[in-house]
Amino acid sequence: MSSRMLLLLLLLLLCLPVGAVRAEVEGRTVRTVDLPETARQVVISPGGRSYFVLGAEKLYLYSIDGRQIGSVEIGSDVVGITPQSDGLVLLHRKGKQRLEYLSLDVIQQIDTTDSPVRGNLDAPVTIVVFDDFQCPYCARLAPTLKKVLANNPQNVRMVLKNFPLSMHRYARAAAVAAEAAGRQGKFWEMHDQLFANYNQLNEQKIDDLARQIGLDMKRFNEDRKDAAIQAAISRDQEQGSALGVRGTPTVFINGRLLRDRSERGFQQVIDAELAKLKK
């Protein structure tokens, strides 16, 4: 061994930490996901809420828990992907001196069976709102939704889904009250009063609002104890979680997540959906 090699070995030994401890690492499979085809690349989105699977000619979108959200045809010449967000992916195509940004517009299938509906029941455009009656942002959105319905009386209906957040002490009680009021045909009257008083809600206030809208209080209190109402609210929450709902309000228009919740933002998407139906 040359003196130079001996010197390098000595330097390496000197760089080792004194008393270094080696730990054993154990691995275990916690989940498996069956893919529709062999993956050429798998990349998690920057937000960590979804991941993308590059197949032979398709790009698949999955929720982080392994549920396939959907797929889109991209061709066989894509050699790599770089997600920019949950809904934007950079495509690298073979032999091309350009990059392509692919926007993904996910259309969710939302079960609205037995949910409260406001507006024309047969309207071609459905707005689904995941709401919390103690949420200030939901309360601020309520007047906008009324305007949107008033501006589109034949073309739009609104469906409410309960999504009470654990941080709001009386949100679930308010959701139960609205559903119980619905059994007397006054869901939307209770809905409006709850949002008008969102920052004052407690058990007494909920009772006062029920009296104000003229509910049969004996029946109202009995219905609030019905386990079926609790189960319906839990189903809404489970469905919302599966759709990626994390906060309130979350709005979908014909299954598309609405990001601009201004009156103008609503109308643009509604008009686009109506234009598709005319083609």
Side-chain angles (χ1 to χ4, degrees):
M1 185 179 294
S2 68
S3 59
R4 183 177 180 182
M5 290 183 67
L6 283 171
L7 180 59
L8 287 173
L9 181 59
L10 179 61
L11 288 172
L12 286 172
L13 290 172
L14 289 173
C15 289
L16 288 175
V18 178
V21 178
R22 289 186 179 180
E24 291 186 2
V25 177
E26 293 184 352
R28 61 188 178 89
T29 300
V30 295
R31 181 185 291 119
T32 60
V33 178
D34 294 325
L35 302 176
E37 60 175 299
T38 302
R40 290 194 285 146
Q41 187 181 0
V42 179
V43 187
I44 296 177
S45 68
R49 293 174 57 180
S50 60
Y51 61 88
F52 301 89
V53 176
L54 177 61
E57 297 185 0
K58 285 185 177 182
L59 180 66
Y60 300 89
L61 176 61
Y62 284 80
S63 62
I64 201 65
D65 60 0
R67 178 179 60 88
Q68 184 179 327
I69 297 171
S71 64
V72 61
E73 295 278 353
I74 56 173
S76 59
D77 60 337
V78 174
V79 294
I81 57 173
T82 305
Q84 305 297 297
S85 68
D86 289 324
L88 187 65
V89 183
L90 188 62
L91 303 181
H92 310 270
R93 294 191 182 273
K94 183 179 180 180
K96 292 189 177 179
Q97 291 181 294
R98 67 178 182 183
L99 296 175
E100 181 179 332
Y101 287 84
L102 179 67
S103 176
L104 300 176
D105 196 3
V106 178
I107 303 172
Q108 302 281 8
Q109 300 299 314
I110 304 175
D111 182 8
T112 59
T113 306
D114 297 328
S115 295
V117 179
R118 189 174 229 173
N120 178 13
L121 297 181
D122 299 318
V125 177
T126 300
I127 299 173
V128 177
V129 185
F130 285 83
D131 258 339
D132 172 314
F133 285 111
Q134 263 194 301
C135 168
Y137 305 105
C138 298
R140 291 173 198 166
L141 183 64
T144 300
L145 287 166
K146 277 192 172 183
K147 290 180 182 178
V148 169
L149 288 172
N151 293 337
N152 301 273
Q154 298 303 314
N155 292 323
V156 174
R157 66 177 187 146
M158 186 185 91
V159 177
L160 185 133
K161 291 286 187 179
N162 287 297
F163 202 83
L165 301 173
S166 59
M167 70 178 71
H168 294 145
R169 182 176 178 183
Y170 297 102
R172 192 174 186 92
V176 169
E179 293 294 334
R183 291 188 175 183
Q184 297 185 45
K186 294 192 174 184
F187 176 89
W188 293 106
E189 289 90 334
M190 193 64 171
H191 165 280
D192 293 347
Q193 288 300 318
L194 288 168
F195 274 136
N197 296 274
Y198 78 94
N199 58 350
Q200 303 174 46
L201 293 184
N202 54 41
E203 292 293 347
Q204 184 60 55
K205 188 65 176 180
I206 291 172
D207 282 349
D208 291 344
L209 295 176
R211 289 188 180 90
Q212 285 177 29
I213 65 172
L215 293 181
D216 177 334
M217 293 304 294
K218 181 179 179 181
R219 181 182 172 188
F220 175 68
N221 288 323
E222 288 175 354
D223 286 338
R224 281 199 289 179
K225 298 174 185 176
D226 191 340
I229 287 181
Q230 293 285 355
I233 294 170
S234 295
R235 283 195 298 273
D236 281 356
Q237 290 179 299
E238 289 166 6
Q239 186 180 23
S241 295
L243 294 169
V245 176
R246 298 292 180 271
T248 55
T250 296
V251 181
F252 296 89
I253 298 182
N254 280 1
R256 300 172 187 272
L257 178 66
L258 179 69
R259 291 180 171 82
D260 180 358
R261 296 194 295 265
S262 66
E263 188 177 342
R264 180 171 175 270
F266 272 95
Q267 198 61 51
Q268 285 180 333
V269 178
I270 290 167
D271 290 343
E273 289 298 305
L274 292 173
K276 289 177 188 175
L277 295 173
K278 293 179 182 178
K279 291 182 180 179

